[in-house]
Amino acid sequence: MGTRRTSLPGVGAQYDFTTETGQHISVVVHHDGRRFIGFYEQDDPDACQLSVPLTTTEATALAHLIDPAPIDAVRTEGIDLVTEHIPLGSRSPYGGRLLAETRARTRTGASIVAVLRTHSAHPSPEPDFRLAIGDTLVAVGTREGVDALSEIIAEG
């Protein structure tokens, strides 16, 4: 199962994946935190069978049911910080390049606080850490900053 992220300018981001049984599921995450989960026809990925709106609290509760230990948003005196896993896919221009080359914090304000590999974790990676296709970047920042970082990692 692979997850595809699509930027929705002015809205947020859409995450699509297909289960092993061929069911297409989509989650739309709005900049304001609202989420919608959609279920699509197997033979027509554009035909939505059902769309369920979720508040941030409901999305968190659902995540806890699916994975009892997801990474949650951290709320700090009215400022929302989020922690998100960002996959470094085969289309990313950063595979094989140094972490510093992303200029993540300078460009987005979001920080890459760890890099997860298949059999290892690299907390607090240094700027000279070499990224690899298949890595998962753990990012912390505002919703807007983390969304921007996801786009940069995916597209350059």
Side-chain angles (χ1 to χ4, degrees), residues 98-100 102 105 111-117 121-131 135-139:
L98 300 178
L99 179 62
T102 67
R105 195 171 26 240
S111 296
I112 297 171
V113 299
V115 177
L116 307 176
R117 291 223 164 115
H122 304 272
S124 302
E126 297 290 329
D128 63 349
F129 183 87
R130 190 162 302 279
L131 299 171
D135 283 351
T136 299
L137 311 180
V138 180

Side-chain angles (χ1 to χ4, degrees), residues 59-126:
T60 300
L62 180 59
H64 281 288
L65 290 172
I66 294 169
D67 179 359
I71 297 175
D72 291 325
V74 177
R75 301 193 186 284
T76 309
E77 296 184 35
I79 300 172
D80 288 339
L81 292 177
V82 296
T83 303
E84 192 166 303
H85 287 187
I86 301 171
L88 197 130
S90 61
R91 294 186 178 186
S92 175
Y94 295 103
R97 293 174 61 188
L98 300 178
L99 179 62
E101 293 180 65
T102 67
R103 297 181 49 239
R105 195 171 26 240
T106 301
R107 294 169 71 185
T108 68
S111 296
I112 297 171
V113 299
V115 177
L116 307 176
R117 291 223 164 115
T118 305
H119 299 291
S120 61
H122 304 272
S124 302
E126 297 290 329

Side-chain angles (χ1 to χ4, degrees), residues 19-78:
T19 66
E20 287 182 13
T21 62
Q23 178 68 53
H24 175 88
I25 300 172
S26 177
V27 176
V28 175
V29 179
H30 289 252
H31 292 303
D32 64 6
R34 290 177 300 134
R35 285 153 167 74
F36 291 82
I37 186 168
F39 302 91
Y40 295 82
E41 299 279 345
Q42 284 184 336
D43 58 345
D44 185 357
D46 294 323
C48 187
Q49 295 173 319
L50 174 68
S51 177
V52 179
L54 299 170
T55 65
T56 301
T57 302
E58 293 165 339
T60 300
L62 180 59
H64 281 288
L65 290 172
I66 294 169
D67 179 359
I71 297 175
D72 291 325
V74 177
R75 301 193 186 284
T76 309
E77 296 184 35

